[in-house]
């Protein structure tokens, strides 16, 4: 059987080898046995049932709660030449009748259905008359009553086994915890099933968390422009208000940002979600209402402007990035205010004490995770019971190790201030006391007479806020239950207060005055490759519009990357690209080959012209000015600058070797260039005009070249 499965993998899907447990799972189903599959997002769960459905006689029934997704999955399968269809409430009666007819006549390889439809007696009657290959229950954690995605209809799916005992079943989920897994097995009657667990690491996601020093929005913008310009991404905010404001603000800065929250009409939400799926570079700014059912593979970043309330939520939300396995970033910025607000929300919630205790524990774990000074991935996996032996090298704490310092003494000052003022004041007031501020409120309480008054003058208010945040995050301080933001001491703080334990805290990282440096692309190519990347994306976009499917249904980013890597020149070579099966080879091979060939041609030409740029470089390196070189070579001075710009873009020359500009001027020009929108990028005229013609085109071209150096 293995040969047959491998054959389908190669010819239909265009992949050369199986991942994780795919092969074992397929074998299990092929033999008519049940399986429970836990695999991280993007791990390749769908192949686990798609391939056996094709191998076995009859149709594979796929149960999925995500109606919005069915259409995409079915179009993706059709693009591969697989006979798939879906049945849900979005279909009109005539189309639904047709699908049912196809089902009865045994034409279908796979049928996606919503659980509520599957469980109707009329549909079950239909199934009685059709040969069945298997049942796949996707998003199987929806059966769990404790999870946030609970679907009552899922409970009834156990009927399938009673009614069709000989048809193998497979339940799939990316949800990590043990309790959910047990619940799936029990509720769906899968005690006999083999369980396949693939670990939860998402190695392509780079985790980054930093502290908000009051400029989170600017930092977000800088992050997007520097690392993910023209990428698709999701920005999570806690409130609708913040969603609206952030989306507006990002749009004003020239990004394609759209809001999404429960306060919008269903139609507006649908529209924005559709654009996110169908276009390449949309940023959705959303509350956590957005995400379930978003299966877009090429989301390159997920940003949090607030702290999620548990590690589970963080893992799930960040997990929407990089499903295609290509590099992606999980970026988060949070601050003291978040910590206080979440603690307050939790303490004042109506939940019973048992629930509160669980939630408190979850929030504390999340806070601890945010303040970590060791590898984040190790901690994340450990939380889910996985072990990663070595630090990952792809998270912020691995990439730029955090400095810590012995903060025992300042912590004692902060804690004493809380104690002496009676454990009822908020951070701002406490800091004022520490700094010895003179104001009426303090004197009216007589706090200017306390021994702690003014003992914290060695630090400024921002540094103190940073310390208070860490003290709360480490549970040395807690926020009062009445919800006024007053801080109280906890049991844990005693040993620090008494000096029995020393306390190491993160050093506050100074705000960097970083300039915007645009990378050629988030995936990190050099300039020429970026050109090919853009051309391939344009080709994909055109096809997707013609066929009315999202671009990733044509080819994933990973497949385009492979084309850039190998630059196939004929169909035979093209067929070896990962993600190119027989059907897609026929359907799109020519279009993409044409793009690649045109690019190769252009590159050849550029190569011959680069000789002349090299000559310019050599003269320049000998100390000649652009003017002198132009005269010497009998070329226009602007041509010489074009050569020099090319060398700057290649990283061979530094901008300041060529131009005599100060930082300020360069920053000014760079900002103008970065402000260009999609359409006018490449056209420097508007930059020239915006700067009142002070800087010539030669000069602008060089500055632009300096921006693409990666
Ligand atoms: P999941 O449902 O687990 O999140 P998918 O089934 O959507 O993941 O697969 C994620 C991506 O990985 C898809 O683009 C899929 O085509 C690709 N993929 C799956 N299996 C393989 C494989 N064996 N080799 C290469 N790519 C694969
Ligand atoms: Zn790490």
């Amino acid at each position: 059987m293995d040969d047959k499965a491998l054959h389908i993998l190669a010819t239909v899907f265009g992949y050369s080898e199986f991942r994780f447990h795919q092969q074992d799972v397929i074998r299990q189903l092929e033999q008519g046995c049940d399986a429970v599959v836990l695999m991280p997002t993007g791990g390749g769960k769908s192949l686990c049932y798609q391939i056996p459905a094709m191998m076995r006689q009859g149709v594979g029934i796929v149960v999925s709660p995500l109606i919005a997704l069915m259409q995409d999955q079915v179009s993706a399968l059709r693009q591969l030449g697989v006979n798939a269809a879906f049945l849900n409430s979005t279909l009109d009666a005539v189309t639904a009748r047709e699908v049912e007819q196809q089902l009865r006549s045994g034409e279908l390889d796979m049928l996606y259905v919503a659980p509520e439809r599957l469980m109707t007696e009329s549909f079950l009657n239909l199934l009685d008359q059709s040969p069945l290959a298997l049942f796949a229950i996707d998003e199987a954690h929806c059966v769990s009553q404790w999870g946030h995605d609970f679907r009552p209809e899922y409970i009834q799916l156990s009927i399938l086994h009673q009614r069709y005992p000989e048809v193998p079943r497979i339940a799939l989920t990316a949800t990590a915890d043990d309790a959910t897994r047990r619940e799936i097995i029990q509720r769906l009657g899968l005690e006999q099933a083999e369980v396949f667990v693939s670990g939860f690491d998402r190695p392509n996601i780079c985790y980054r968390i930093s502290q908000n020093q009051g400029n989170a929005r600017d930092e977000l913008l800088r992050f997007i422009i520097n690392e993910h310009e023209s990428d698709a991404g999701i920005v999570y905010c806690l409130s609708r208000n913040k969603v609206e404001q952030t989306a507006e603000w990002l749009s004003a800065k020239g990004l394609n940002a759209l809001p999404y929250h429960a306060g919008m009409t269903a139609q507006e939400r649908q529209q924005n979600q559709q654009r996110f799926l169908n276009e390449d570079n949309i940023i959705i700014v959303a509350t956590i209402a957005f995400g379930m059912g978003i299966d877009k593979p090429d989301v390159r970043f997920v940003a949090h402007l607030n702290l999620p309330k548990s590690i589970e939520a963080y893992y799930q939300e960040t997990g929407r990035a990089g499903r295609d396995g290509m590099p992606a970033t999980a970026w988060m910025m949070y601050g003291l205010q978040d910590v206080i607000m979440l603690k307050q929300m939790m303490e004042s919630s109506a939940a019973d004490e048992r629930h509160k205790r669980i939630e408190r524990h979850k929030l504390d774990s999340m806070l601890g995770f945010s303040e970590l000074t060791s590898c984040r991935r190790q901690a994340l996996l450990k939380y889910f019971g996985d072990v990663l032996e070595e630090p990952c090298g792809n998270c912020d704490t691995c990439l730029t190790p955090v400095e810590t310092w012995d903060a025992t003494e300042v912590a004692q000052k902060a804690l004493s201030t809380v104690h002496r003022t009676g454990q009822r004041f908020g951070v701002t007031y406490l800091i004022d006391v520490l700094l010895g501020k003179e104001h009426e409120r303090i004197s009216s309480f007589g706090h200017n007479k306390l021994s702690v008054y003014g003992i914290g003058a060695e630090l400024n208010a921002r540094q103190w806020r940073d310390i208070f945040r860490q003290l709360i995050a480490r549970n040395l301080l807690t926020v009062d239950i009445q919800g006024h933001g007053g801080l109280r001491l906890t049991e844990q703080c005693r040993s620090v207060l008494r000096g029995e334990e020393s306390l190491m805290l993160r050093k506050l990282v100074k705000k960097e005055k970083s300039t915007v440096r645009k990378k050629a692309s988030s995936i990190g190519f050099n300039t020429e490759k970026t050109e090919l990347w853009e051309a391939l994306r344009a080709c994909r976009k055109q096809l997707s519009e013609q066929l009315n499917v999202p671009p990733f249904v044509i080819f994933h980013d990973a497949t385009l990357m492979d084309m850039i890597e190998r630059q196939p020149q004929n169909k035979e070579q093209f067929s070896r690209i990962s993600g190119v099966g027989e059907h897609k080879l026929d359907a799109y091979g020519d279009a993409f080959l044409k793009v690649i060939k045109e690019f190769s041609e252009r590159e050849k030409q550029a190569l011959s012209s680069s000789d002349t740029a090299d000559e310019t470089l050599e003269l320049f390196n000998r100390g000649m000015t652009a003017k002198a070189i132009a005269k010497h070579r009998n070329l226009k001075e602007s041509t010489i600058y074009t050569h020099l710009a090319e060398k700057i873009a290649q990283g061979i020359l530094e901008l300041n070797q060529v131009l005599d500009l100060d930082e300020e001027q360069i920053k000014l020009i760079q900002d103008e260039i970065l402000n260009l929108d999609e359409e006018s990028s490449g056209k420097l005229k508007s930059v020239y005009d915006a700067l009142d013609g002070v800087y010539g085109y030669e000069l602008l071209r060089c500055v632009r070249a300096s921006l693409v150096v990666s």
Side-chain angles (χ1 to χ4, degrees):
M1 90 98 207
D2 288 344
D3 286 351
K4 196 166 164 206
L6 259 178
H7 182 73
I8 295 180
L9 182 71
T11 55
V12 177
F13 294 93
Y15 300 132
S16 54
E17 51 199 58
F18 284 112
R19 280 185 188 163
F20 297 113
H21 292 104
Q22 282 176 335
Q23 191 157 19
D24 303 330
V25 177
I26 292 168
R27 181 179 304 132
Q28 181 82 359
L29 290 165
E30 145 82 351
Q31 291 167 352
C33 308
D34 300 338
V36 173
V37 174
L38 290 91
M39 215 183 254
T41 305
K45 283 185 284 298
S46 351
L47 287 191
C48 293
Y49 54 82
Q50 288 169 347
I51 291 184
M54 287 181 241
M55 292 168 78
R56 284 174 65 87
Q57 160 63 359
V59 56
I61 304 291
V62 185
V63 189
S64 164
L66 311 173
I67 291 188
L69 275 187
M70 288 184 188
Q71 177 141 26
D72 283 347
Q73 274 166 354
V74 166
S75 10
L77 282 166
R78 294 229 179 106
Q79 290 301 319
L80 297 168
V82 178
N83 204 352
F86 66 89
L87 269 180
N88 64 32
S89 51
T90 66
L91 286 189
D92 59 74
V94 180
T95 323
R97 193 96 17 87
E98 270 169 29
V99 172
E100 289 175 7
Q101 184 48 42
Q102 287 178 313
L103 175 65
R104 225 176 274 118
S105 67
E107 284 168 54
L108 292 176
D109 291 318
M110 243 168 286
L111 178 66
Y112 285 73
V113 278
E116 57 275 13
R117 175 172 297 240
L118 174 63
M119 289 341 264
T120 59
E121 198 47 43
S122 64
F123 189 78
L124 291 171
N125 284 334
L126 196 61
L127 286 190
D128 290 342
Q129 306 159 38
S130 324
L132 300 174
L134 55 83
F135 288 108
I137 301 164
D138 205 3
E139 314 288 346
H141 56 275
C142 290
V143 81
S144 160
Q145 274 173 313
W146 302 112
H148 29 68
D149 300 331
F150 176 58
R151 300 289 182 118
E153 319 84 68
Y154 257 62
I155 305 260
Q156 291 161 27
L157 292 175
S158 59
I159 296 176
L160 293 177
H161 183 48
Q162 291 147 26
R163 190 151 173 160
Y164 310 100
E166 74 294 353
V167 180
R169 291 171 305 150
I170 170 174
L172 310 104
T173 180
T175 299
D177 66 280
D178 221 35
T180 311
R181 182 188 326 176
R182 281 198 302 271
E183 217 177 334
I184 292 173
I185 293 173
Q186 187 236 322
R187 293 200 186 272
L188 296 177
L190 282 164
E191 288 83 1
Q192 307 298 321
E194 184 146 351
V195 181
F196 299 88
V197 183
S198 298
F200 293 95
D201 192 12
R202 304 284 314 279
N204 58 315
I205 298 182
C206 178
Y207 296 103
R208 281 159 49 185
I209 299 179
S210 50
Q211 279 68 43
N212 184 0
Q213 295 174 37
N215 57 342
R217 225 169 51 168
D218 294 314
E219 290 295 329
L220 173 70
L221 179 68
R222 211 190 310 268
F223 161 70
I224 297 176
I225 290 187
N226 280 356
E227 302 179 41
H228 289 288
E229 225 204 359
S230 75
D231 281 345
I234 305 174
V235 177
Y236 282 116
C237 304
L238 207 56
S239 67
R240 296 175 187 183
N241 240 336
K242 195 157 165 189
V243 165
E244 297 278 353
Q245 288 164 4
T246 310
E248 233 165 73
W249 189 76
L250 290 175
S251 303
K253 296 289 170 187
L255 297 168
N256 295 318
L258 303 174
Y260 188 105
H261 59 70
M264 295 161 58
T265 66
Q267 195 195 352
E268 287 169 323
R269 281 200 309 247
Q270 178 63 18
Q271 210 170 5
N272 288 354
Q273 171 167 335
Q274 218 46 45
R275 282 195 61 194
F276 179 66
L277 290 175
N278 291 341
E279 295 174 36
D280 270 347
N281 57 356
I282 302 285
I283 297 166
I284 284 276
V285 184
T287 55
I288 50 173
F290 180 80
M292 175 76 171
I294 296 303
D295 213 352
K296 189 176 165 63
D298 53 359
V299 177
R300 295 266 71 86
F301 70 91
V302 168
H304 280 95
L305 280 178
N306 292 102
L307 195 74
K309 56 183 194 305
S310 68
I311 293 190
E312 284 90 343
Y314 175 78
Y315 178 80
Q316 192 178 46
E317 285 151 27
T318 55
R320 294 178 182 133
R323 301 181 75 114
D324 55 7
M326 307 294 295
T329 318
W331 184 98
M332 181 170 111
M333 185 155 264
Y334 87 106
L336 177 61
Q337 218 41 51
D338 282 299
V339 181
I340 291 178
M341 198 164 75
L342 278 175
K343 288 237 171 190
Q344 268 177 355
M345 265 167 56
M346 205 185 58
E347 294 301 342
S348 56
S349 91
D352 61 42
E353 195 44 41
R354 195 180 76 97
H355 261 94
K356 269 194 192 169
R357 207 165 49 234
I358 297 174
E359 282 176 24
R360 210 178 282 142
H361 175 72
K362 291 195 164 180
L363 177 58
D364 286 343
S365 307
M366 183 63 215
L367 286 171
F369 176 73
S370 313
E371 297 287 344
L372 271 183
T373 52
S374 56
C375 174
R376 297 213 195 263
R377 191 180 315 274
Q378 279 182 318
L380 194 59
L381 293 177
K382 182 159 168 234
Y383 185 82
F384 293 120
D386 262 8
V387 181
L388 183 70
E389 298 290 345
E390 296 291 324
C392 74
N394 191 27
C395 71
D396 56 347
T397 47
C398 281
L399 293 168
T400 28
V402 184
E403 283 184 67
T404 57
W405 62 298
D406 186 340
T408 315
E409 210 184 301
V410 299
Q412 284 169 343
K413 288 180 182 176
L415 296 170
S416 307
T417 307
V418 174
H419 180 63
R420 302 254 173 237
T421 52
Q423 310 198 44
R424 57 203 173 93
F425 291 93
V427 176
T428 311
Y429 183 87
L430 293 166
I431 292 177
D432 283 350
V433 174
L434 278 160
L435 295 176
K437 287 265 176 72
E438 287 174 31
H439 59 67
E440 214 179 311
R441 203 156 161 241
I442 294 185
S443 35
S444 74
F445 286 115
H447 289 158
N448 51 349
K449 309 242 165 57
L450 295 176
S451 59
V452 290
Y453 182 70
I455 56 164
E458 77 268 31
L459 301 178
N460 63 29
R462 209 176 75 214
Q463 290 166 318
W464 277 116
R465 287 180 78 81
D466 187 60
I467 286 160
F468 273 106
R469 191 200 70 245
Q470 297 190 60
L471 294 176
I472 299 171
R474 287 164 173 256
N475 230 344
L476 300 179
L477 285 174
T478 177
V479 182
D480 79 3
I481 307 176
Q482 275 71 38
H484 303 303
L487 298 185
R488 283 183 298 116
L489 302 177
T490 65
E491 202 50 43
Q492 280 107 298
C493 83
R494 295 191 193 285
S495 56
V496 174
L497 208 45
R498 290 199 205 104
E500 293 159 7
E501 194 187 319
S502 63
L503 184 70
M504 302 299 287
L505 292 183
R506 297 171 74 103
K507 251 192 199 162
L508 183 64
V509 201
K510 282 228 182 64
K511 248 198 278 180
E512 271 177 49
K513 201 182 138 246
S514 63
T515 47
V516 178
R517 225 195 46 177
K518 188 172 156 191
K519 273 219 263 179
S521 75
S522 59
I523 317 224
F525 309 122
N526 60 24
T527 339
E528 299 97 69
K529 288 202 172 157
T530 307
E531 207 183 304
L532 179 53
W533 170 247
E534 293 304 339
L536 292 171
R537 292 224 301 187
C539 176
R540 175 173 71 176
K541 176 134 187 90
Q542 203 184 0
L543 286 168
S544 88
E545 277 165 7
Q546 270 167 26
L547 299 167
N548 199 18
V549 293
F552 58 81
V553 166
I554 306 287
F555 281 130
H556 278 184
D557 284 358
T559 303
L560 300 191
M561 292 282 290
D562 206 31
M563 291 183 204
I564 293 175
E565 219 31 62
R566 304 200 206 188
Q567 304 198 10
Q569 299 293 321
N570 55 43
K571 276 203 158 183
E572 205 278 316
Q573 290 171 357
F574 195 82
S575 74
R576 280 187 247 135
I577 298 293
S578 171
V580 178
E582 283 170 357
H583 201 264
K584 289 190 176 176
L585 175 67
D586 285 345
Y588 316 128
D590 290 331
F592 284 90
L593 277 168
K594 181 156 169 265
V595 172
I596 296 167
K597 278 192 197 141
E598 280 169 8
F599 172 77
S600 314
E601 284 302 316
R602 270 202 307 278
E603 225 184 14
K604 253 187 242 152
Q605 281 171 10
L607 222 53
S608 52
S609 83
S610 80
D611 291 348
T612 147
D614 283 344
E615 200 175 323
T616 295
L617 177 68
E618 199 178 316
L619 297 172
F620 185 80
N621 280 339
R622 272 195 241 148
M624 285 171 80
T625 63
K627 199 171 189 151
I629 299 173
K631 199 155 172 233
H632 176 78
R633 298 194 56 194
N634 200 15
L635 291 170
K636 279 201 228 144
E637 198 173 327
S638 62
T639 310
I640 302 302
Y641 273 106
T642 310
H643 294 163
L644 295 173
E646 195 180 313
K647 295 298 162 192
I648 292 172
Q650 289 166 2
I652 295 171
L653 286 177
E654 294 276 347
L655 187 59
N656 62 13
Q657 288 177 272
V658 179
L659 302 176
D660 190 22
L661 291 177
D662 61 35
E663 284 259 331
E664 287 286 297
Q665 290 173 307
I666 294 178
K667 176 96 177 43
L668 181 76
I669 301 170
Q670 283 181 334
D671 284 348
E672 278 304 329
I673 295 175
L674 291 171
N675 276 338
L676 287 177
D677 54 45
E678 266 306 90
E679 249 128 77
S680 41
S681 74
K683 294 181 200 141
L684 285 174
K685 179 158 184 342
S686 49
V687 178
Y688 180 83
D689 291 343
L691 298 168
D692 300 325
V694 173
Y695 304 100
Y697 282 101
E698 288 84 9
L699 183 148
L700 296 181
R701 220 168 274 136
C702 289
V703 176
R704 184 176 59 186
S706 72
L707 287 169
V708 297
V709 180
S710 50

